[in-house]
Amino acid sequence: MVLQRDKLVPVWGWAEPGKQVTVNFAGQTKSATATAEGKWLVKLDKLAANATGQTMKVESRDKSIDVNDILVGEVWLGSGQSNMAMTVSRARDFEKEQADANFPLIRCFKEGSASARTAQRDGKGKWELCSSESVGLFSATLYFFGKAIHKELNVPIGLINSSVGGTPIEAWMDGETQKATPDLKGFFDWREADKAAFDREAATAAYQKQLTQWELARDTAKAAKKPLPAKPRDPVEVRDRKDDIGGLFNGKIAPLIPFAMRGFIWYQGEANSHAGKSPHYRHQLPLLITDWRKRWGEELPAAWVQLPNFGAPGEYWSEVREGMLQTLKLPKTGMAITIDLGEEKDIHPKNKQDVGTRLALWALGDVYGQKLNSTSGPIPVSNVISGQEIRITFRHADGGLKSKEGELKGFVICGQDKQWKPAKTRIEGNQIIASNPEVTSPVALRYSWASWPDGNLVNGFHLPASPFRTDAP
C-alpha cells in the first residue's frame, strides 16, 4: 500500500473493548485502547516520502499482524460513475499503455463494497502494484492522472478507486446532510413528484414483454449463428439504482474515512444530466466537496472532470457543466475541461490519457506548486456590457487567447427578445469582445452552450475554454 507523506497518518481497527493496541512503523510506536464499541485509532507523526517497502506491526498482548511492503508518498481518491470506473483496458491505445506500465511505485486500491443503508465502518478490496499484468483493471482516469504526477514528483503514488457506473451524485453524499440543505429542497420536491408519477407495475409488465421478445430473438440468432441482440434493461432496477440517496457514500466512502490522502478527483455528472435533475448540480457538487472535507477534517484539494462533448438532446449536459464551472468558487478546487475530448455517440470516450493529464496539470501547479505554462483552459471570470458589445474576461488565458483552427466560433448573443444570433468576436489580451449588428442592446452571451458544441476557443497552450453563459441563474 501507500501512505500519505507529510501529514498525520491515522491507523485504525477493531479489538475487544478495553484492549490496548500498539502500532510500530518507520521507527514510531503509537498505542491506543479500544473503545466500548471496539474501535481503536492512532495517528502516526508525519512521514517523509519513502520508496522502500516497510513493515507495519500491529499488536496486542495476544495477537500480532504484519502489513508488509508499505511505501510513503502521495495518495489520491478517485470517485464518480462509469467514466471514472472505466478501466485502462477500455481506453485508447491499451496495448501501448500496457507495454509501458511497469510502475511498481504506483499502487491502486479498488473499493469493492456495495451501497448500504447506513455508514459502514469497514470496506473491501486490496492494493495492487502497477504492472503490465494489473494495469488493465485500473481506473483509466485515475491511472493516467497518477502516472503523470509520479513522473514529475518521483515519489510513490497511491490511488484509491471508489466508483460505480450509472450512479447519480446524490448517491455519493450522506442522505441526512442532503435533506437538511435548503438549496436542495427543489431537488427533493422534484424527486417525490417524479416517483409518484412512475407506474412501477406498468413498467414491469412492459419489461416482461420485451424480455420475452428478446428471448425469442436471442434463440433465433443462436440457431442462425448470428450476433445476439442486446438484452433489454429492467426500468425498475435502473430507476432504483439511480434513486439511491446516500447509499454509495455509506458503502464506499465512509469506510475510507479518515485515511490520510492529498486530495480527491471526481468524474461524474452523466446520470444527473436529465430533466428535473440537471439544474440542481450547481448545489450538489459544492455540497459533496464541503461535506467530504468536513468528514476528513481538512480542506482537501478537489478537482473534477467537466463533462465532455456528447450528442445528447436538450440543455441538460450544458446545465451540469455549468454547475461544475460554478463550483470553482470553492477554494482549492480545479476542473479539467474536456469539451474537445468526447465522442458524439459514445458516452464513454476512450481518450482518458488527456483527461488524466489535464487533472494532473491542476494538481502539479495548484497543489504541488510547480511552475507550469498553464494548469487549465480559459475560465470566464467577468462580463461587461458596453453599447452593442459584451466583453468577457478570462483567467488561464496563458499564452494568449486564440482559436484552435480557423475563425473563432461557438459564441451567440441575444437582446431582451432572447433571439440568439451568432456573435462576431475579436480578441484583446485576456478578453473576448462579442457583438452582432442585429442585436443593438445585448443582454447575454453564451459559448459552446450545447451538448455537442462547435466552440474552438483555447489558450496559447491549446487547452480549451469552458462552456458558459452570462445569463446563468
Side-chain angles (χ1 to χ4, degrees), residues 373-394:
N373 291 328
S374 186
T375 61
S376 170
I379 298 289
V381 292
S382 66
N383 68 91
V384 175
I385 299 174
S386 178
Q388 290 186 238
E389 297 180 334
I390 298 181
R391 183 180 294 263
I392 306 293
T393 301
F394 293 84

Side-chain angles (χ1 to χ4, degrees), residues 263-277:
F264 60 90
I265 57 176
W266 176 254
Y267 195 160
Q268 192 275 337
E270 301 90 339
N272 290 81
S273 298
H274 303 286
K277 278 194 169 187

Side-chain angles (χ1 to χ4, degrees), residues 276-303:
K277 278 194 169 187
S278 56
H280 304 287
Y281 208 84
R282 63 175 51 94
H283 303 303
Q284 292 171 311
L285 183 56
L287 179 63
L288 179 140
I289 293 168
T290 54
D291 188 57
W292 284 16
R293 285 173 168 178
K294 180 179 178 181
R295 294 172 188 276
W296 257 276
E298 60 177 308
E299 197 173 57
L300 294 169

Side-chain angles (χ1 to χ4, degrees), residues 132-144:
S132 295
E133 290 72 32
S134 66
V135 74
L137 295 179
F138 284 18
S139 157
T141 295
L142 198 54
Y143 168 68
F144 293 121

